[in-house]
Amino acid sequence: MFCPKCGNPLPANARFCSLCGVAVRSNASSGLESPLGASSFETSDASDAYNKSANPYASSSASDPYAPSGWLDSADVPDYLIWNVLSSLFCCTPIGIAGIIFSIQTNSAKTRGDFEAAARHSSTAKTLLIVGLVVGGLQVLLSLAYVALATAVEVGSLGAL
């Protein structure tokens, strides 16, 4: 017997689907015929093909039916570690160090298989990278403006002599 909602194979005496929880009736009481033409829903090699076509959302992994569907994989989550190290060295050290910490946490979460936490840490690492680059860029611009101003004042004071 199969669940009418999700197509999950069920024992003959099942009252509820173990996968989706919908209430099911036995074939004898409902008078329904099997879509395969048999009088009962027995699980066999022939009905496995029906089960796969009846439930296109079922996991294809036979070893772990509750595995994630793969919408978020470890390859999809960047850690920004190298960029945060460079930001720490050349732009803004405190923000770069915080970015390095979140990059390491991203790698740890990916190793654990917690891809949602890895995505959160990756987002924070990216934000800290951008903030560090902006702060570092502003420091460079302010330094250049100071040097230009100091040079103009020095040249102006030499011209007065």
Side-chain angles (χ1 to χ4, degrees):
M1 165 163 85
F2 289 92
C3 173
K5 182 176 178 186
C6 68
N8 184 37
L10 302 171
N13 60 352
R15 293 169 56 190
F16 295 96
C17 176
S18 60
L19 190 61
C20 67
V22 87
V24 294
R25 293 180 285 175
S26 68
N27 288 341
S29 66
S30 65
L32 294 177
E33 186 178 323
S34 164
L36 297 176
S39 61
S40 67
F41 290 104
E42 294 296 325
T43 303
S44 67
D45 292 336
S47 66
D48 285 340
Y50 170 74
N51 184 30
K52 289 179 183 173
S53 65
N55 189 2
Y57 303 107
S59 174
S60 61
S61 171
S63 62
D64 187 10
Y66 301 107
S69 61
W71 63 272
L72 186 61
D73 194 11
S74 65
D76 296 338
V77 183
D79 59 4
Y80 302 105
L81 181 62
I82 294 173
W83 294 107
N84 276 310
V85 168
L86 293 174
S87 170
S88 176
L89 290 175
F90 299 115
C91 294
C92 185
T93 302
I95 296 173
I97 290 173
I100 290 170
I101 291 171
F102 277 98
S103 296
I104 292 170
Q105 288 178 346
T106 301
N107 284 332
S108 297
K110 286 194 305 188
T111 303
R112 286 190 317 263
D114 187 3
F115 299 123
E116 292 177 11
R120 285 193 312 269
H121 294 312
S122 176
S123 175
T124 304
K126 181 180 179 181
T127 301
L128 289 171
L129 172 64
I130 292 170
V131 169
L133 291 175
V134 167
V135 168
L138 289 175
Q139 286 177 345
V140 168
L141 288 177
L142 289 175
S143 297
L144 289 174
Y146 175 76
V147 168
L149 183 63
T151 303
V153 169
E154 187 68 29
V155 168
S157 66
L158 288 176
L161 291 175

